[in-house]
Amino acid sequence: MTWAGAPSLTFPVVIDANIFIDLHGLNPGKEAASTRKIFLDIIRDRVEVLVTPEMYSEMNRVSDLKERARLKNILETQYPRLPVHIDQVEKQRQSLIRAIGKAPAKNQDRSDLNHIAYTAAAGVTTLVTRDNPVLRRLKQHAEAAVGINLVAPQELVAHIDEAESALAYRPSALLGTGYTLKEASSSDDQHLRFFFRNASGERLTDFESRLRELAARRPQSSRLLLTDPSGAPVALLGTNPAGPVLEVPLARMVTTPLQGTLAAQLANMLRTRAAESDLRAVRIVDRHADPIIIDAVLRDGFRLSEGTATALTIPEVCELAEIQAVVDRSLLETQLGTDASYQFRESAHRLIENPSAQAALSLERQLRPLCIVDAPVDAWLVPIRPHFSSPLFGYPDSLFDRPDELGISVEHVYYRAGRSGETAPARILWYVSGEQEGVVMGRSELVEVLDGPWETTYRQFRRLGVYQRADVEAAARNTGQVRVLRVINTEVFRTPVTLARLKEFAADFKTGLQLQGPSRLDARLFEKIMREASR
């Protein structure tokens, strides 16, 4: 029985001796249960498991003669032989020795090297081992010298998923900037190790175990790696859904001049990720989480409860009369800690007792993307051209990168001429015009309206705006004055509302529709737009 290549629907992997013993040994170690679950339950039909001839040498070291014979019989009858030429194996072996810098002296080290050389000679790209010293010592050399991926069993799920769904692992621009965010792959080991927190008392084995657990649960879980424009690692977020809660067992960051802004963006990203998966809460359970991230999430509306930072994320459009029931239902579903539950209920109760614009927007901020449609908050429809909305909010997509300071910020400004009556606090719905038909693409919280000389306001806010100096000067026209709208927490709708639907809604309520400049929205029209956008 000679291996003739993997069938098109399976992924070939080679296993080493410790994985083989986990699967077939009569007295396997404590790791066996996890290995068997992965190979026999989780990825059973997705892989073809292979062994190298070096496995016979490894089995010769089994001291129990009866057990040795039994294991060799399994090798002979249940595993195909890899068709490799010994000269090719030796060539791969020498490449590895050159990469490492010296030949191995111990029998076990020689076997480790031979497994990799045989795997490469057979044309297989993946070798599975749970030997941590081998993974740490040989992983980089094996990939660089002979193109072999060394992966732990828990990482194998993500590794296969990576091969089958490569698109998810490609770097994507973080809101169009030079920063990139991607699902970490098995080749990102060195970048991931960068976030190990030895100084805070974390054990390397615990850190690696957490990484592998996340990898094994792909695609439900994620290991999101953020890198700066030079490719250097900046942040790592490990997420895993636990019922209706998005748990974050890894929340790490490095020191960088933009760390505060980036941390705020990561906090917002966690909410967005939870909402997109229809989850009701985010809980950071990383005991070694970076203090910068914890500070950012607390500023974002998370609450400390029983040693964790927790937020509610309620993707609903509701009325004031429903808010207490909506919050109570979410707390019941998520089973958050007592302290956090009390604080969220108190915030909802204060709004019901005193329904002010400030209280309503504060609660929406804490529970976003929640929208309380009949809260006493003005809503404005503000037109914006695509060549401004794209770099400002990332909508529509552009071929060109956004400035880093804009793309990683949760705060933005928009300049305009004239004074239409906008006052803060308020809500803004952004109407983006198009060549054929425009859309209402998102919602922001308006926190400041400022009128002043164009040069002064441009100097003050240019890091948050997309207008160039000449644009702001042109907006000032003959008066020399411009209006600045400063907004935060922009939510880009998953379902933008088209102009045709907008006109239908306006006709239903017999209200006018002004698209040439900012206009205050009828409360009923605002509600209709928000319910349409949340479908």
Side-chain angles (χ1 to χ4, degrees):
M1 185 170 66
T2 300
W3 189 63
S8 59
L9 297 179
T10 62
F11 188 89
V13 299
V14 171
I15 60 174
D16 71 354
N18 52 41
I19 301 296
F20 181 80
I21 294 297
D22 280 353
L23 294 175
H24 300 290
L26 291 178
N27 298 299
K30 61 181 180 180
E31 301 280 357
S34 174
T35 302
R36 289 178 177 180
K37 181 176 178 62
I38 290 168
F39 275 90
L40 303 181
D41 296 337
I42 299 176
I43 57 172
R44 176 181 53 191
D45 299 325
R46 297 175 66 186
V47 296
E48 183 174 16
V49 182
L50 306 166
V51 296
T52 75
E54 183 63 27
M55 190 69 77
Y56 289 92
S57 299
E58 297 239 54
M59 291 306 102
N60 282 334
R61 299 186 197 126
V62 175
S63 56
D64 187 314
L65 295 179
K66 186 176 180 180
E67 176 68 352
R68 182 194 303 174
R70 189 184 70 83
L71 292 173
K72 282 190 172 183
N73 182 60
I74 292 173
L75 284 174
E76 290 283 355
T77 59
Q78 297 185 27
Y79 288 87
R81 294 177 181 273
L82 287 177
V84 292
H85 195 283
I86 194 63
D87 290 344
Q88 185 63 24
V89 174
E90 185 58 26
K91 179 181 177 181
Q92 303 291 349
R93 189 172 176 279
Q94 291 304 318
S95 295
L96 282 165
I97 291 173
R98 284 194 296 272
I100 297 168
K102 61 178 181 180
K106 298 179 181 178
N107 286 337
Q108 187 56 60
D109 292 341
R110 280 193 287 269
S111 285
D112 295 334
L113 207 68
N114 289 341
H115 278 305
I116 299 171
Y118 273 117
T119 302
V124 182
T125 61
T126 303
L127 173 62
V128 186
T129 178
R130 59 170 175 77
D131 190 330
N132 285 328
V134 170
L135 289 166
R136 295 168 191 161
R137 188 177 69 250
L138 298 181
K139 185 178 180 69
Q140 277 189 299
H141 297 310
E143 185 171 2
V146 295
I148 296 300
N149 294 298
L150 293 182
V151 298
Q154 296 88 346
E155 293 174 328
L156 185 57
V157 181
H159 183 68
I160 297 170
D161 186 60
E162 175 187 346
E164 294 176 346
S165 310
L167 188 62
Y169 290 82
R170 295 175 187 165
S172 60
L174 177 62
L175 299 177
T177 71
Y179 288 82
T180 57
L181 185 74
K182 71 164 190 171
E183 177 69 31
S185 70
S186 55
S187 62
D188 288 310
D189 240 29
Q190 290 304 308
H191 278 346
L192 298 180
R193 191 78 56 79
F194 198 76
F195 298 99
F196 167 55
R197 292 290 180 260
N198 183 51
S200 66
E202 185 176 33
R203 295 192 305 172
L204 181 58
T205 52
D206 292 339
F207 177 70
E208 291 175 335
S209 174
R210 205 170 311 170
L211 284 173
R212 289 169 188 167
E213 286 173 8
L214 288 167
R217 293 180 181 138
R218 277 285 303 165
Q220 288 78 22
S221 66
S222 286
R223 301 183 301 177
L224 298 173
L225 178 64
L226 176 66
T227 56
D228 68 14
S230 70
V234 173
L236 172 65
L237 287 180
T239 67
N240 182 54
V245 179
L246 183 70
E247 290 199 338
V248 185
L250 287 171
R252 308 294 170 89
M253 198 170 188
V254 301
T255 302
T256 168
L258 292 173
Q259 60 191 17
T261 304
L262 284 166
Q265 184 63 266
L266 293 176
N268 189 59
M269 189 185 305
L270 287 172
R271 287 184 180 273
T272 302
R273 198 166 187 84
E276 288 174 348
S277 301
D278 294 320
L279 303 178
R280 292 280 171 148
V282 180
R283 181 188 291 122
I284 298 179
V285 295
D286 185 0
R287 292 188 296 124
H288 303 277
D290 196 288
I292 297 167
I293 294 180
I294 296 299
D295 181 64
V297 298
L298 293 179
R299 291 174 184 272
D300 188 78
F302 282 61
R303 295 288 181 264
L304 285 177
S305 179
E306 299 174 8
T308 64
T310 306
L312 279 182
T313 57
I314 303 180
E316 287 193 29
V317 174
C318 70
E319 298 178 1
L320 271 169
E322 303 171 301
I323 189 61
Q324 194 74 62
V326 167
V327 171
D328 286 344
R329 184 169 66 249
S330 295
L331 290 171
L332 183 63
E333 289 178 15
T334 54
Q335 296 293 302
L336 300 186
T338 304
D339 293 342
S341 297
Y342 174 78
Q343 293 173 67
F344 289 127
R345 284 195 177 97
E346 276 296 294
S347 296
H349 181 71
R350 282 195 298 271
L351 173 60
I352 294 168
E353 290 292 304
N354 181 26
S356 64
Q358 289 85 352
L361 290 172
S362 174
L363 188 63
E364 285 186 344
R365 204 177 304 136
Q366 293 176 53
L367 307 181
R368 66 182 191 278
L370 175 73
C371 180
I372 309 167
V373 289
D374 61 343
V377 183
D378 284 343
W380 290 79
L381 185 66
V382 177
I384 183 172
R385 295 175 183 172
H387 65 275
F388 289 136
S389 69
S390 181
L392 196 62
F393 303 127
Y395 183 96
D397 290 336
S398 171
L399 294 175
F400 304 101
D401 281 348
R402 300 168 68 192
D404 292 341
E405 293 81 359
L406 292 179
I408 62 177
S409 179
V410 293
E411 176 185 6
H412 301 99
V413 300
Y414 183 61
Y415 302 92
R416 60 173 307 276
R419 302 180 182 182
S420 305
E422 309 99 324
T423 58
R427 299 175 173 125
I428 287 182
L429 297 183
W430 298 99
Y431 173 77
V432 179
S433 57
E435 293 183 5
Q436 297 178 337
E437 184 178 56
V439 296
V440 180
M441 50 70 60
R443 169 181 61 139
S444 298
E445 180 184 341
L446 178 64
V447 294
E448 184 179 10
V449 179
L450 179 69
D451 297 301
W454 72 267
E455 286 186 286
T456 304
T457 56
Y458 176 69
R459 282 197 301 270
Q460 183 177 354
F461 294 110
R462 62 183 177 182
R463 67 186 177 86
L464 298 174
V466 294
Y467 276 34
Q468 300 299 313
R469 183 183 179 87
D471 296 321
V472 181
E473 183 178 11
R477 298 176 184 166
N478 298 326
T479 67
Q481 301 280 310
V482 292
R483 168 159 285 195
V484 174
L485 306 179
R486 186 164 68 92
V487 300
I488 62 172
N489 296 333
T490 298
E491 172 197 0
V492 176
F493 295 147
R494 280 190 282 179
T495 309
V497 180
T498 64
L499 177 59
R501 294 291 283 164
L502 200 57
K503 289 179 175 178
E504 285 180 28
F505 301 155
D508 289 342
F509 300 122
K510 296 181 174 58
T511 182
L513 197 59
Q514 159 68 286
L515 299 176
Q516 301 308 309
S519 59
R520 185 183 277 106
L521 280 172
D522 179 274
R524 296 167 300 169
L525 182 54
F526 171 75
E527 177 178 352
K528 195 75 172 176
I529 293 171
M530 288 305 304
R531 293 194 184 279
E532 176 82 0
S534 65
R535 288 172 52 185

